[in-house]
Amino acid sequence: MGLPGSVVWDSALLGYDLGGEHPLHPIRLDLTMRLAATLGVLDGVELLVPQEATDAEIERIHDAGYLAAVREAPMAGWDVGHGLGTSDNPVFDNMHEASARVVGSSLLAARQIASGATKRAVGIAGGLHHAMRDHAHGFCVYNDLAVAISWLLDNGYERIAYLDTDVHHGDGVQAAFYDDPRVLTISLHQNPLTLFPGTGFADETGGPNAPGSAVNVPLPPNTGDGAWLRAFHAVVPSLLAEFRPQLLVSQCGVDTHHEDPLASLSLSVDGHRAIYRTVRTLAEQYAGGNWLAAGGGGYALLRVVPRSWTHLIATVLDRDVAAGTTLPSEWTRFVDKIAPTAELPLTMSDGRSVDFEPWDGEDGERVDSVIKEVRRAVFPLHGLDPDDPRD
Ligand SMILES: [Zn+2]
């Protein structure tokens, strides 16, 4: 029997390297693929090798003038504009080519699903959700998932749900489809008053032609696994049941982890694993089983990202890794070689419970004020009752 999912990967994707001390270091991708392989998750899996996306493909979302600036930036010296050459988005060699390959990764995943070759596809290099039409933003040059969604809309899909569980607001994808009723974007993130990019409030609900097509769940700092999952379940399944997407696209940033150096939510690897399993179930229930998964943020490079995204890949392939699985010594020895002072965890778990009490319509927990605010902002636009927990 074939596997339920495909994995897109090529070591050339490590070329998206913002250099030096930049937090988005490609080692996180390399260590993830090594850990997944060492645990046997990739046994018998033929990795699909992406090409660089063409200009025409990237220009589905981005301005031609911006592409020209990205292409020329490594030769241009300073002041190239378009958000390039900043500390967040430094210019690097082959920036266009490396960024186009990330777009190619998510496009290949989309094509695999659209062709019927697979129901699910995952590419952890994708998920650069902040990139805007004419500028780089938040470590992101080209918006691979927006390009993939745009391509899908021209290739047989009329209703696509985008689910963003990165700690930062999925602003670039939201902006690309804010007034498009064919795309429902849902982002759960740390409250934008306390974190980049400063958008993603509950009252951002879509443009005049697409009321309710954007959903934002701004969670207070220190939100942990239980409260995060309580909010997710109080908002997301109802909207998917009503919207009936043909495909679920998920950005799976893991900078929600309590050890992440750039943000202040308090999830665990166990919470991440629970999220992926939930998203898989929702794809089966409401999206015909079609699930395109990408990576995203995540800056605890050694201790968190490889474990969390190995769980992601395993979940896509129905090869779930038990939380208590010991980290293989072959992998920890490799990490020790490149980072001798790192203290590595022992297992694929942080030992946290992911139990939570479902929201019951009352104000029982701190996160419930956010749940009510979000539901009241957006549920009526979908014909749902914001105050009835059965909706
Ligand atoms: Zn992020």
Side-chain angles (χ1 to χ4, degrees), residues 129-130 166-169 195-196 251 253-256 296-299:
H129 61 165
H130 295 304
D166 193 280
V167 79
H168 302 97
H169 177 223
L195 189 67
F196 178 93
Q251 196 271 18
V254 290
D255 37 13
T256 48
Y299 308 100

